[in-house]
Amino acid sequence: MSISTKYNPAETEDKWYSYWLSKKFFHSEPDEREPYTIVIPPPNVTGVLHMGHMLNNTIQDVLIRKARMQGKNACWVPGTDHASIATEAKVVAMLKEQGIDKKDLSREEFLKYAWEWKEKYGGIILEQLKKLGASCDWDRTRFTMEEDLSAAVIDSFIHLYKKGWIYRGIRMVNWDPAGKTAVSDEEVIRKEVNQKLYYIKYQVVSSKSQESSSKSQESSSQSQESGSENQDEPEFLTVATTRPETIMADAAICINPNDERFTHLKGKKVFVPLVNHEIPVIEDEYVDIEFGTGCLKVTPAHDLNDYELGVKHNLPVIDILNDDGTLNELAVILVGEDRFVARKKIAKLLDEAGHLEKVEDYKSQVGFSERTDAAIEPKLSMQWFVKMKEMAQPALDDVLNGDVNLIPNKFENTYRHWMENVRDWNISRQLWWGQQIPAWYDDKGNWVVAKTKDEALEEFWKKKHLDESGFEADKAGFKHQLEPFVKQDEDVMDTWFSSWLWPISVFDGFKNPENKDINYYYPTNDLVTAPEILFFWVARMIMAGHEFMGKKPFTNVYLTGIVRDKLGRKMSKSLGNSPDPIGLIEKYGADAVRVGMLMSSPAGNDLMFDESYCEQGRNFASKIWNAFRLVKGWEVDHQLANPNTQAISWFENRFNEALVEIEDNFKQYRLSEALMITYKLVWDDFCAWYLEMVKPAYQQPIDAESYKATIGFFENIIKLLHPNMPFLTEELWHDDLFAARGEMDCCIVAEFPKGGSVDEKLLKDAEVVKTVIAEIRNVRNQKQISPKEALPLSLKVNSDIDYEKWLNIVFKLANVSEAEIVNDKIPGATTFMAGKDEFFIPLTENIDVDAERTRLNADLVYLQGFLKSVDAKLGNERFVQNAKPEIITNERNKKADAEAKIKIIEENLMMLG
């Protein structure tokens, strides 16, 4: 069949993706083959494809396609996460646009809207992944809130509760006033923001005894903050704070007991400005004498450190904020005002009342909710927690002993620090979208944990028997009487409490622990994810694996870098520096974008993405396409002898050599490096060298043996490229250049190339020959000799290279008319070196002696510098003792080679006079 002059991705991608789906190439069922399993990090159901998804899923698809081609039973499980906070915020915003307020709806009504939203928008990102070429087993698509997976979440909660690892209590949490829910530490993004530092004056409460004491300590006890030398004047303490709106919640002023400026205030009290509450002055070495004014306002309800101080000193907790971040009745003033509006108004009121000493610009770190971007409020709240210490240990051991590999391993120390200092996990969220906490309360505040209301009533019955010995009431009557008063906990579980079960629950490991899927696919092989959720998700999955399955959930964790722009900024919508991934695919083609992403992605490091990488990927696709067209256009003459045995032997060895390097990089998860080796193999070795070596003269046929070998090489190249460029390769695979393909004979399941032996001497000799060709071409350029003019060549061979095998390639690619082996230098000829050998091109015109001398001197200076650096290495005892033997041998070979070349150049310079 004919092939178009230009590759058109738009015509190819939908065709082959649909074909793969129709033939079930992505689908996996347990069989006798070795399984290779990846579970997708489930993107939020609210999400659309961004550049991070592009990178992550390209890597996963490369791994899964390669495993599939290697004969493994490849299973890539897709799915989405219900994303409690983000989805609820989306649904609330949608309802608001319709004039509906969430608080006017029942839970059931709200969830109905939420499910409708999910069905309409929740699958967008998975459909976008198909455009990328993701070969997921779509028949296995899961959702973290589907019935079976939700049941698994409830079961795991009850399991941990019965073990005593889940408890309920009032703790200081990160509160998201926009989402009106607690969020974990990992969901808080710290940002440096410009703020104001307010210096507020608190009046010291005076008494007759205190006044008397003050008079006896006139010189020593009047602090810098008194504001006056007159003892009849009121005394003030100045406290610096960024949050004046919380002064109404102050429970104490804290000073350091070692701070001599304030020793006279021990046991005293101060008035809180504007509201005139009396609060004590307490002492604690926690206060930094050097920071600020040396005084600290203690607000236990609104700061974690203050809360701990409050517990230590038995201070009252005054929570002045509503769940939405507005001031409540306990604030006394500005009730109902938003916290940030109140901040400005409080500052003004303090100034008017003479309690604001000064205001300074100040930069500090503030926590923001990852999901809503609202400034986080520390808040005391009744929440559910999981004890983590015991579960963390086996997950830590797995990484430390190498059972689970973090790639790159630079993350191991961070992981260990986090796991050794793990805190209990706040798993409750004050939302409606999610798995509801399986706790049930009666009208007296008693509670039990149970899966259903009926089971809860049973638990209440048992509890009644335990609490009241001899209780013999009718069981059915008891349940009937209590049933109307039993209510389920309003909170839902943290989304991560469902996704930590993902590698187990996607294979129904909770519903049916002995089913064939969980026994075959678990533990999975590789996990590809982002470092920022190493603790969020990865560590917790390892914990869950040990707790619920008795073993790790995966072996390798490839941690990708952050996608940044060429200026190094993280790509984000707010900066406007993130391209639309689907737009990139439409412009350049999926294969080109995949290549572009991987080219800019060194293993485990952030990638500086630029659209030019996609353009490079498109150029690469065009190069392959044009090379294919070239070969397809050759005519074959079966009568011709094969003149290309050396070229064929060289490329076969070069392909095998590259394959070893590629496989080695794959084992180390250096996918970008593996792609670059493939890129150079195809672009340089195959297209620029091999095809030029074997292609017939214009309008002349090629011999059958060379043609067959070239088609075989092309077929292997297509298979090698397929994991990175699936669409282009599948299109070429089915061209009639190759043998007829059956409907299931597709590149996606073709056998990945296997390496053969490598003749290292042949490859080294080939590099010298390529240098000879390049140097002859340089001479043409320097002397402005037409490429059509054949040149004579003389060789003074100092090496063991058999040039007879290579001369036909040199003749063809460098247009050499004749070649002669000589024993002596040829005076007056243009000379150059390749390896240890000398080459001479006698030219009819006189050479420019000065120019030749300049060139040789430049080469000499370079080689002398190079030799000096090699000698320095070899003269370094530490290097010689610690380096591998093959490295030492390589350096010594470099030294001998440089010395030989220097000798030859010096001889040539002498001949020039």
Side-chain angles (χ1 to χ4, degrees):
M1 66 181 182
S2 62
I3 183 169
S4 63
T5 57
K6 187 177 179 182
Y7 174 57
N8 187 342
E11 293 178 358
T12 302
E13 291 169 359
D14 288 343
K15 176 180 72 174
W16 287 116
Y17 201 85
S18 298
Y19 191 85
W20 294 328
L21 284 175
S22 68
K23 300 303 178 184
K24 295 287 186 180
F25 284 125
F26 302 162
H27 185 59
S28 172
E29 290 290 341
D31 60 23
E32 72 287 349
R33 290 175 294 167
E34 175 190 348
Y36 176 81
T37 313
I38 296 177
V39 292
I40 201 170
N44 287 349
V45 74
T46 59
V48 293
L49 203 62
H50 59 59
M51 297 303 286
H53 291 136
M54 290 278 281
L55 173 64
N56 183 285
N57 287 283
T58 296
I59 290 169
Q60 289 177 83
D61 196 46
V62 168
L63 293 173
I64 208 80
R65 285 181 182 273
K66 183 171 184 288
R68 191 183 287 123
M69 295 177 75
Q70 289 176 315
K72 297 175 184 177
N73 191 346
C75 181
W76 183 12
V77 182
T80 49
D81 186 283
H82 63 276
S84 293
I85 299 173
T87 303
E88 186 143 329
K90 291 273 189 183
V91 176
V92 168
M94 177 196 73
L95 292 172
K96 189 175 182 180
E97 290 178 359
Q98 299 175 18
I100 302 171
D101 196 314
K102 178 189 169 185
K103 69 176 183 291
D104 296 329
L105 299 174
S106 67
R107 189 184 195 110
E108 291 70 25
E109 289 170 333
F110 177 82
L111 289 176
K112 181 175 178 292
Y113 282 113
W115 277 105
E116 287 174 355
W117 187 95
K118 184 265 174 187
E119 293 305 317
K120 185 174 182 180
Y121 299 106
I124 290 175
I125 192 165
L126 297 185
E127 291 303 311
Q128 290 177 320
L129 286 177
K130 294 176 182 178
K131 295 291 184 185
L132 183 65
S135 56
C136 301
D137 186 346
W138 299 109
D139 295 338
R140 292 183 175 274
T141 303
R142 307 306 297 261
F143 174 52
T144 52
M145 262 183 66
E146 64 183 74
E147 187 175 346
D148 288 344
L149 272 65
S150 287
V153 174
I154 303 302
D155 288 343
S156 62
F157 182 101
I158 294 170
H159 167 87
L160 294 174
Y161 175 75
K162 287 179 177 178
K163 288 190 74 167
W165 288 359
I166 284 184
Y167 64 92
R168 183 172 178 259
I170 296 176
R171 300 287 187 276
M172 181 69 76
V173 298
N174 301 305
W175 188 260
D176 178 347
K180 298 180 187 175
T181 180
V183 295
S184 67
D185 289 344
E186 296 86 2
E187 291 168 302
V188 177
I189 308 300
R190 309 297 299 184
K191 301 179 186 177
E192 187 175 81
V193 297
N194 295 317
Q195 296 200 92
K196 300 289 184 184
L197 194 60
Y198 300 85
Y199 288 77
I200 302 173
K201 294 169 19 177
Y202 290 68
Q203 184 179 338
V204 178
V205 178
S206 62
S207 66
K208 290 182 180 180
S209 60
Q210 288 171 330
E211 289 169 5
S212 173
S213 173
S214 295
K215 289 174 184 178
S216 68
Q217 301 175 7
E218 180 176 352
S219 61
S220 63
S221 66
Q222 291 297 321
S223 76
Q224 299 174 41
E225 285 73 21
S226 65
S228 172
E229 294 180 3
N230 187 336
Q231 293 179 14
D232 294 329
E233 292 285 333
E235 181 180 3
F236 291 92
L237 279 178
T238 301
V239 178
T241 179
T242 59
R243 304 199 61 196
E245 73 277 11
T246 64
I247 61 171
M248 296 83 78
D250 288 350
I253 296 295
C254 191
I255 58 175
N256 191 305
N258 303 312
D259 193 338
E260 295 180 357
R261 295 174 297 172
F262 304 117
T263 53
H264 68 289
L265 295 174
K266 183 177 180 180
K268 289 199 172 188
K269 295 184 177 182
V270 298
F271 288 114
V272 177
L274 303 182
V275 292
N276 291 327
H277 294 319
E278 287 188 13
I279 57 174
V281 176
I282 63 172
E283 296 178 291
D284 199 288
E285 291 187 349
Y286 168 77
V287 177
D288 184 353
I289 295 174
E290 302 298 325
F291 183 77
T293 64
C295 300
L296 176 72
K297 64 191 283 296
V298 183
T299 315
H302 299 291
D303 183 90
L304 178 59
N305 295 321
D306 288 10
Y307 173 71
E308 292 173 354
L309 270 177
V311 170
K312 183 177 179 181
H313 294 275
N314 197 28
L315 298 174
V317 177
I318 309 164
D319 187 348
I320 63 166
L321 289 176
N322 294 314
D323 288 351
D324 63 356
T326 57
L327 273 58
N328 63 28
E329 288 76 7
L330 294 179
V332 181
I333 59 175
L334 301 178
V335 175
E337 291 282 10
D338 176 78
R339 54 189 168 149
F340 296 120
V341 174
R343 178 178 298 178
K344 294 179 180 179
K345 290 188 176 182
I346 290 283
K348 185 178 180 182
L349 291 171
L350 287 168
D351 190 30
E352 291 171 349
H355 287 283
L356 189 61
E357 184 175 293
K358 61 179 178 177
V359 180
E360 293 178 345
D361 290 330
Y362 185 70
K363 283 187 176 181
S364 67
Q365 293 282 326
V366 175
F368 290 83
S369 170
E370 183 187 39
R371 299 301 182 202
T372 67
D373 202 37
I376 290 295
E377 282 290 344
K379 182 178 175 66
L380 280 173
S381 179
M382 177 67 78
Q383 301 284 341
W384 291 89
F385 295 86
V386 180
K387 295 177 182 178
M388 300 295 282
K389 197 69 179 174
E390 286 188 63
M391 281 195 288
Q393 192 57 51
L396 174 58
D397 292 341
D398 271 353
V399 170
L400 295 184
N401 64 26
D403 286 340
V404 173
N405 304 304
L406 302 185
I407 303 160
N409 61 11
K410 68 181 181 182
F411 291 104
E412 287 179 8
N413 287 336
T414 310
Y415 179 88
R416 178 166 64 180
H417 175 78
W418 190 85
M419 297 297 276
E420 288 177 345
N421 298 278
V422 69
R423 299 171 66 177
D424 288 354
W425 179 8
N426 169 212
I427 59 167
S428 47
R429 298 291 181 265
Q430 290 62 56
L431 302 164
W432 283 349
W433 177 247
Q435 290 93 5
Q436 199 168 350
I437 298 277
W440 306 79
Y441 304 85
D442 66 12
D443 54 332
K444 297 181 179 61
N446 302 311
W447 56 273
V448 296
V449 168
K451 193 166 187 176
T452 64
K453 189 172 187 178
D454 193 56
E455 290 178 13
L457 290 169
E458 186 73 25
E459 290 299 317
F460 277 119
W461 167 261
K462 292 176 183 176
K463 197 170 185 180
K464 191 75 172 175
H465 272 284
L466 289 173
D467 292 345
E468 298 181 20
S469 59
F471 178 74
E472 295 296 339
D474 173 62
K475 184 176 183 180
F478 170 83
K479 288 184 177 181
H480 179 73
Q481 186 178 10
L482 185 61
E483 195 274 337
F485 300 102
V486 172
K487 305 294 182 189
Q488 188 173 357
D489 196 306
E490 286 287 311
D491 290 356
V492 298
M493 279 172 264
D494 178 14
T495 301
W496 298 103
F497 197 76
S498 61
S499 57
W500 79 321
L501 309 176
W502 189 246
I504 309 169
S505 59
V506 295
F507 297 116
D508 290 325
F510 286 89
K511 180 182 178 182
N512 182 3
E514 292 301 321
N515 78 80
K516 63 177 183 177
D517 281 358
I518 195 75
N519 287 330
Y520 182 73
Y521 295 114
Y522 187 95
T524 64
N525 297 78
D526 296 330
L527 179 75
V528 181
T529 190
E532 57 261 34
I533 56 174
L534 178 58
F535 315 118
F536 252 137
W537 190 46
V538 177
R540 289 170 181 166
M541 280 192 288
I542 303 173
M543 294 180 203
H546 281 282
E547 179 61 26
F548 300 112
M549 293 295 294
K551 52 190 172 183
K552 64 185 183 182
F554 34 68
T555 300
N556 302 301
V557 181
Y558 180 97
L559 298 161
T560 64
I562 296 171
V563 184
R564 300 183 182 277
D565 64 17
K566 58 185 176 182
L567 299 177
R569 302 173 302 173
K570 184 176 180 180
M571 286 189 168
S572 67
K573 290 181 180 177
S574 59
L575 286 176
N577 63 343
S578 181
D580 170 28
I582 299 300
L584 288 176
I585 291 172
E586 290 172 350
K587 183 176 181 180
Y588 297 103
D591 290 331
V593 175
R594 290 164 66 109
V595 168
M597 292 297 296
L598 288 175
M599 277 185 171
S600 56
S601 177
N605 295 317
D606 291 355
L607 61 149
M608 304 305 178
F609 179 80
D610 185 80
E611 198 169 319
S612 61
Y613 284 112
C614 295
E615 190 172 352
Q616 187 177 356
R618 182 175 62 186
N619 292 343
F620 187 41
S622 296
K623 184 75 171 179
I624 298 162
W625 187 262
N626 290 332
F628 191 87
R629 289 182 63 242
L630 172 70
V631 174
K632 188 176 172 65
W634 290 344
E635 290 187 13
V636 182
D637 185 340
H638 292 274
Q639 305 303 315
L640 291 177
N642 176 13
N644 300 309
T645 54
Q646 193 71 357
I648 292 168
S649 180
W650 164 71
F651 187 76
E652 182 178 359
N653 279 274
R654 175 65 195 111
F655 185 89
N656 289 338
E657 180 188 46
L659 199 58
V660 171
E661 297 170 359
I662 290 164
E663 289 289 4
D664 184 58
N665 277 289
F666 264 106
K667 287 175 184 175
Q668 299 178 63
Y669 293 83
R670 301 173 68 87
L671 273 63
S672 179
E673 287 79 356
L675 173 59
M676 285 308 302
I677 293 168
T678 307
Y679 181 92
K680 291 176 181 176
L681 174 73
V682 176
W683 192 294
D684 295 339
D685 296 318
F686 185 69
C687 295
W689 284 103
Y690 173 76
L691 290 182
E692 292 300 312
M693 290 177 186
V694 302
K695 79 175 182 181
Y698 181 63
Q699 292 187 339
Q700 296 298 310
I702 190 171
D703 67 280
E705 195 174 327
S706 297
Y707 187 67
K708 181 181 178 182
T710 304
I711 291 175
F713 291 149
F714 224 129
E715 191 169 65
N716 271 335
I717 283 170
I718 288 172
K719 291 189 286 186
L720 186 62
L721 284 166
H722 180 81
N724 296 294
M725 307 176 77
F727 295 110
L728 170 68
T729 52
E730 193 69 81
E731 178 73 6
L732 294 177
W733 181 261
H734 292 272
D735 190 90
D736 60 6
L737 177 70
F738 304 111
R741 310 282 192 199
E743 66 175 16
M744 301 300 287
D745 182 6
C746 291
C747 193
I748 189 174
V749 288
E751 184 180 16
F752 196 77
K754 292 180 179 178
S757 60
V758 176
D759 185 337
E760 293 185 3
K761 183 179 185 308
L762 184 148
L763 292 174
K764 288 180 180 177
D765 290 353
E767 290 307 305
V768 174
V769 171
K770 286 160 69 177
T771 301
V772 172
I773 294 166
E775 289 290 347
I776 295 172
R777 289 172 176 174
N778 286 338
V779 169
R780 286 184 184 279
N781 290 333
Q782 291 169 4
K783 307 297 182 182
Q784 296 184 341
I785 301 171
S786 169
K788 295 180 181 180
E789 182 180 338
L791 298 175
L793 181 68
S794 297
L795 303 78
K796 184 174 184 294
V797 181
N798 304 309
S799 68
D800 60 355
I801 297 175
D802 183 359
Y803 283 99
E804 291 294 334
K805 295 180 179 179
W806 297 98
L807 284 179
N808 68 321
I809 293 174
V810 176
F811 281 20
K812 183 174 184 179
L813 299 189
N815 193 11
V816 170
S817 58
E818 57 182 312
E820 178 188 14
I821 304 294
V822 296
N823 296 319
D824 298 312
K825 300 178 186 297
I826 298 178
T830 296
T831 66
F832 63 84
M833 290 188 64
K836 297 178 181 178
D837 302 326
E838 300 171 74
F839 297 83
F840 308 91
I841 303 176
L843 299 175
T844 54
E845 74 276 12
N846 293 326
I847 66 168
D848 186 334
V849 174
D850 290 338
E852 190 70 6
R853 188 184 292 115
T854 299
R855 183 180 69 81
L856 289 171
N857 274 314
D859 290 346
L860 180 63
V861 169
Y862 168 79
L863 285 166
Q864 288 170 336
F866 178 77
L867 180 61
K868 186 177 180 181
S869 67
V870 174
D871 281 337
K873 274 188 184 179
L874 293 173
N876 184 331
E877 289 186 18
R878 190 173 177 182
F879 170 77
V880 174
Q881 289 172 358
N882 296 328
K884 294 179 180 179
E886 58 267 29
I887 293 176
I888 301 296
T889 301
N890 189 41
E891 291 300 318
R892 286 174 177 159
N893 288 338
K894 287 180 183 177
K895 174 181 170 70
D897 186 57
E899 287 173 339
K901 287 180 177 178
I902 287 172
K903 183 179 178 182
I904 291 168
I905 289 175
E906 287 174 341
E907 290 174 356
N908 286 334
L909 284 170
M910 287 180 64
M911 287 181 63
L912 290 174

